[in-house]
Amino acid sequence: MRWMKLAAMMAVGGISAVAWAQPGKGGAADKLTVGFSQVGAESEWRTAETQSIRGEAEKRGAELKFADAQGKQVNQIKSVKSFITQRVNFIVIAPVVETGWEPVLREAKAAKIPVILVDRGIKLSEAGEKEDLYTTLIASDFVEEGRMAAEWLAKTTGGEARIVELQGTTGSAPAIDRQKGFAEGIAGHPGMKIIKTQSADFTRAKGKEVMQSFIKSEGKNITAVYAHNDDMALGAIQALEEAGIKPSIDVRVISIDAVKGAFESMVAGKLSATVECNPLLGPIVFDTIERLRAGQTVPRFIKQTDRLFDQKDAAEAIKTREY
Ligand code: AHR
């Protein structure tokens, strides 16, 4: 027997709640089914997030219907529609971009399937906000991450830097917010200037390619690289080395994510620093689902806390890194 939804989603002062009844617990037909629409596999971080959500579903005996969107929103919309047709109990989305979600979220709402956003937020119209089209967002504060990167760079350069910026996927929440946070962080330092900025789509290959073009046009004028994720920074480091420029010595390189590859690079004296963005969201996603199934309220934004690591922390911290 399927669960019956008792109450529609309620939104009071930014708090959303869904109450569920679970008649006939324990039968195979009552198994929790979750549809997860993932961005793709563009970075080490993304792979860690996928593993965390998959692993947690397995641990809790839930059925996870996994759809890899290969970086395309159109694929995500298709898979969300298919989850609705399959009558999953919850839909989890890591949205590729911020806009364009309202029609499909309305379909999920009409089908009474709660939607949980993970790692990236979306932008809704005023009407969409009022309709309460998703239950909660479980993510880091990307603006804050950008600010932390800027503050570290300002401190270690004495407020003097000619920076090239490698942006994430155009239109995605982390690209928009990390750019904003960093710009805010350097605003009080007139000696810190972004001299070039371009998207490298969160991948190592594009990070290297875009960095090569920055080196070609700016050469020794560049004194710092700010990359919206570690993969792009690692690609940029390859480009710097191939051009005979010493990363972290001639040019400081700072990025976001704090994946294993970033720690290895810091230990090798290449990447200068990284701001953590926790991808191990599986446990919190399923805890949230359990709270909602129990009729509890959850906050609209479940914020993850991040910290910054630089080369002096790297050797010790790498020993216990989980991703
Ligand atoms: O949304 C999180 C970002 O997406 C990560 O920083 C990046 O590596 C990923 O692709």
Side-chain angles (χ1 to χ4, degrees), residues 42-43 45-46 119-120 142 174 178 202 228-229 256-257 277:
E42 73 284 1
S43 61
W45 188 97
R46 182 77 40 209
D119 103 62
R120 295 181 177 186
F142 297 140
R178 287 172 183 170
F202 283 128
H228 291 187
N229 82 344
I256 297 172
D257 275 358
C277 177

Side-chain angles (χ1 to χ4, degrees), residues 5 20 84-85 87-88 105-114:
K5 193 170 178 187
W20 294 83
I84 296 170
T85 310
R87 300 286 317 146
V88 298
L105 293 183
R106 280 194 188 104
E107 287 179 40
K109 190 181 175 189
K112 301 191 188 334
I113 302 175

Side-chain angles (χ1 to χ4, degrees), residues 59 68 116 122 130 134 159 173 176 180 187 202 229 252 279 294 297:
K59 219 189 263 173
D68 178 335
I116 294 174
I122 59 172
K130 283 194 192 122
Y134 65 89
I176 295 166
K180 182 171 181 265
F202 283 128
N229 82 344
R252 282 189 176 77
T297 56

Side-chain angles (χ1 to χ4, degrees), residues 243-274:
I245 302 166
K246 291 191 201 74
S248 189
I249 294 166
D250 300 329
V251 170
R252 282 189 176 77
V253 185
I254 180 156
S255 56
I256 297 172
D257 275 358
V259 295
K260 267 266 174 64
F263 279 88
E264 285 159 5
S265 183
M266 286 193 289
V267 170
K270 296 179 182 182
L271 184 72
S272 313
T274 183

